Amino acid sequence: MDAGFGLPWKVAMGLSEQQRSTTWLARGGLRPTRQRLALAGLLVGDGMNRHVTAESLYAAVGVSGAKVSLATVYNTLRAFCEAGLLNEVVVDGARSYFDTRLDDHPHFYWEDSHALTDAPAEQLVIAGLPEAPEGMAVSRVDVVIRLKRA
C-alpha cells in the first residue's frame, strides 16, 4: 500500500521542512516538540497533501530514523485533529485516515489496496442535506466512495 511517503517528502520546496512544519504547528497553536516536528515533517514537510493511517505514519517515522512510539503517533494525530490541522476520515469502524487537505472534498476508498485518495470535487453534486436537529449545526459532511474491481 502506498502511504504517500515516497522520496519527494525529503525534498524541500521553497520553505524548508523544518520551517513548514513549525509554521503548520503554530497555525494550530501547538508547541513544536521533537515528536510533533518529526510527524509534521512527514505530513506536511514537502507541502504535498496526503492521507495516512496511524500505522503508515508510524512506519514512515521508522524509516526516517526518528524515535516515536505508535501510541505517540496516535495521540499526536488526535491533537493535530483537535487543533484543526488534520481531518479524520473514517472508512469503517476499524480504519481511520488522517487527511492534510482541509477543504471540503470527497474521497475514493480503494477496497483492494485499502488506500484513500481525493475524488474530483467538481463531479460531486449534493442536492441537499437534512436539517440538523434543534440546537445542532452540521460541522462537516464526509463523502467516501468505496471502490472495488468490477
Side-chain angles (χ1 to χ4, degrees):
M1 176 173 86
D2 177 19
F5 294 108
L7 279 180
W9 69 263
K10 294 182 179 180
V11 178
M13 296 163 53
L15 291 175
S16 73
E17 178 181 313
Q18 179 84 15
Q19 291 170 317
R20 188 174 281 111
S21 300
T22 302
T23 301
W24 186 72
L25 290 170
R27 188 171 48 228
L30 296 174
R31 202 167 42 90
T33 65
R34 179 186 60 79
Q35 293 94 342
R36 286 178 182 162
L37 283 170
L39 296 175
L42 291 169
L43 289 167
V44 300
D46 65 356
M48 304 297 291
N49 288 311
R50 54 185 37 88
H51 306 89
V52 302
T53 62
E55 293 79 10
S56 69
L57 185 56
Y58 177 69
V61 167
V63 170
S64 76
K67 302 290 185 218
V68 179
S69 71
L70 182 57
T72 298
V73 171
Y74 273 103
N75 292 334
T76 304
L77 285 170
R78 296 276 176 237
F80 290 170
C81 288
E82 289 171 11
L85 298 173
L86 295 176
N87 281 326
E88 181 177 11
V89 180
V90 179
V91 296
D92 61 39
R95 187 176 299 265
S96 288
Y97 289 80
F98 297 88
D99 189 356
T100 58
R101 185 175 158 192
L102 299 177
D103 65 313
D104 292 330
H105 63 282
H107 292 96
F108 286 134
Y109 177 67
W110 304 79
E111 291 182 342
D112 59 345
S113 63
H114 304 289
L116 189 74
T117 60
D118 293 333
E122 66 278 0
Q123 295 178 16
L124 178 68
V125 178
I126 298 177
L129 297 173
E131 283 190 36
E134 188 174 328
M136 302 302 294
V138 174
S139 66
R140 192 172 97 193
V141 175
D142 290 330
V143 176
V144 177
I145 303 158
R146 300 176 72 90
L147 303 173
K148 66 179 181 177
R149 298 248 179 246

